[in-house]
Amino acid sequence: MYRKALASGEKIFAVAPMIDWTDTRCRFLHRQLSKRALLFTEMIVADAIIHGQRERLLGYHPQEHPVALQLGGSDPVKLSEAVRIASGYGYDEINLNVGCPSDRVQSGTFGACLMREPDLVAKCVSAMKAVAEVPVTVKCRIGVDDHEPERVLPDFLARVVAAGADAVWVHARKAWLQGLSPKENREVPPLDYELVYRMKRENPGVFIGINGGIADLDQAGEHLKYMDGVMLGRAAYHNTSILADVDHRIYGGQAHPYDWMALRDAMMAYAADYIAAGGRLNHVTRHMVGLFQGMPGARRFRQILSSDATRPGAGPEVIEAAFAAIDFNPMKELAG
């Protein structure tokens, strides 16, 4: 995928891995809106895959492709074993998390704190590549704490690429591991897009994607003038409807009005299957709340999904009722 993109000049749009958010139900929704976007799982710890409930952790709907599995860990042996186990699930990419700043990640000695140990990251990438049947990539920050990103990031990139990384996705902020919460780490450290652009200019043969603070597809398009790929996180989750325009705006697909009733029907059918398998409706609908931001009826849409979907016995009809609250006429030009 990444070699093809570099050779052809085609860009890649991705929805970022987000803990507690980008589960399989979220990704199914996102796939209905864009057939081309690269979707990522939540970060899954290698130990959990080795010792935990593998089907629950790794299972997903076949419609989700292309989908990347993001792993957390710092032990090359465990990461290679997790990759070996995951190979049977058919993911399109394996990504190593070297960017998450949360306390629970730091306590496991992985995530953003690994930016301090580039040699260990390189060993992890090499071990993963040895058993992977798909691209192995890295998602990182530009540095952590007292790092000087202009010095640290070029060295980090060189090491992971030499170890075999097929692509690097760079969140264009430092992570402050002490003193800032995970939320603050997404907002307080200043963005340095120019540094990431420079990394791409200095590494023309390496796929480098950019992430961090990108609010919409207009901004995404600006970044793609300089980068191979662009990744949206919370903007894509909280304003989910923007994904309906990705295939046209990013990939040059034919412009046409999006079929919102087809989305409603797809999500109702998916919810019915999920409930029949023992799930609860709100596990599906909680990812849909970000649809239709700013549209007439959006507030009522959110109310229905947030309240009615949690009631005992709630079924797909709640989705139908929520969609009925939206005035779709102003949306005719979206995805057009």
Side-chain angles (χ1 to χ4, degrees):
M1 172 171 56
Y2 291 107
R3 289 179 182 175
K4 179 182 177 182
L6 281 172
S8 67
E10 183 175 82
K11 307 299 185 177
I12 293 180
F13 176 96
V15 178
M18 291 174 278
I19 294 176
D20 297 329
W21 286 6
T22 50
D23 60 23
T24 182
R25 295 165 293 281
C26 173
R27 299 191 305 268
F28 181 87
L29 168 65
H30 290 179
R31 181 57 67 220
Q32 306 315 302
L33 294 162
S34 169
K35 302 302 181 188
R36 302 289 301 277
L38 173 62
L39 305 180
F40 279 74
T41 70
E42 306 170 83
M43 183 191 68
I44 305 175
V45 178
D47 272 330
I49 292 174
I50 295 169
H51 303 293
Q53 299 177 8
R54 295 172 183 176
E55 185 59 35
R56 180 180 65 82
L57 292 168
L58 296 173
Y60 60 94
H61 196 285
Q63 283 190 27
E64 292 177 35
H65 291 288
V67 58
L69 168 66
Q70 187 181 68
L71 295 178
S74 59
D75 183 325
V77 174
K78 290 181 178 180
L79 283 165
S80 70
E81 177 63 8
V83 172
R84 186 193 65 76
I85 293 168
S87 65
Y89 287 81
Y91 284 95
D92 300 287
E93 171 185 338
I94 308 293
N95 178 266
L96 178 63
N97 183 317
V98 191
C100 182
S102 74
D103 291 340
R104 59 177 165 170
V105 168
Q106 291 182 55
S107 65
T109 320
F110 50 91
C113 61
L114 283 175
M115 292 291 296
R116 292 191 174 281
E117 301 185 63
D119 285 338
L120 177 57
V121 175
K123 290 177 182 177
C124 291
V125 170
S126 180
M128 294 164 69
K129 282 287 293 184
V131 295
E133 300 175 355
V134 295
V136 171
T137 66
V138 172
K139 187 172 187 293
C140 67
R141 293 277 182 139
I142 61 174
V144 295
D145 295 338
D146 58 355
H147 274 168
E148 296 177 8
E150 295 81 1
R151 179 181 59 83
V152 170
L153 187 58
D155 177 68
F156 180 86
L157 288 174
R159 291 175 191 247
V160 299
V161 170
D166 295 284
V168 182
W169 292 92
V170 184
H171 186 136
R173 284 189 176 96
K174 285 172 71 171
W176 288 96
L177 302 180
Q178 302 295 327
L180 291 182
S181 69
K183 181 179 186 297
E184 290 170 330
N185 261 303
R186 295 190 298 268
E187 300 168 354
V188 174
L191 289 155
D192 192 347
Y193 294 137
E194 182 52 44
L195 174 61
V196 185
Y197 294 166
R198 179 159 64 84
M199 294 302 97
K200 177 55 197 175
R201 290 195 299 269
E202 294 177 358
N203 297 273
V206 178
F207 183 102
I208 303 178
I210 195 166
N211 170 229
I214 304 169
D216 54 40
L217 295 188
D218 289 337
Q219 293 183 15
E222 287 299 310
H223 287 296
L224 289 175
K225 293 177 181 178
Y226 311 100
M227 305 301 300
D228 301 311
V230 65
M231 178 181 283
L232 269 68
R234 280 151 182 82
Y237 190 89
H238 290 307
N239 189 14
T240 320
S241 298
I242 68 173
L243 296 178
D245 216 14
V246 164
D247 293 357
H248 167 54
R249 294 277 301 276
I250 305 298
Y251 291 98
Q254 183 177 0
H256 57 81
Y258 186 78
D259 188 344
W260 299 104
M261 294 303 99
L263 175 64
R264 178 201 63 187
D265 295 345
M267 295 312 298
M268 289 179 66
Y270 179 81
D273 290 342
Y274 182 72
I275 293 168
R280 297 177 58 183
L281 178 67
N282 65 304
H283 294 167
V284 175
T285 58
R286 74 185 187 94
H287 301 298
M288 300 173 63
V289 173
L291 287 165
F292 312 128
Q293 290 291 335
M295 296 303 302
R299 182 179 180 182
R300 180 59 184 149
F301 175 87
R302 293 192 296 270
Q303 289 174 338
I304 292 171
L305 292 185
S306 299
S307 59
D308 294 3
T310 62
R311 294 174 180 169
E317 67 279 357
V318 173
I319 297 175
E320 184 175 28
F323 270 71
I326 298 294
D327 177 4
F328 287 99
N329 289 324
M331 301 195 70
K332 288 181 178 179
E333 295 185 359
L334 186 61

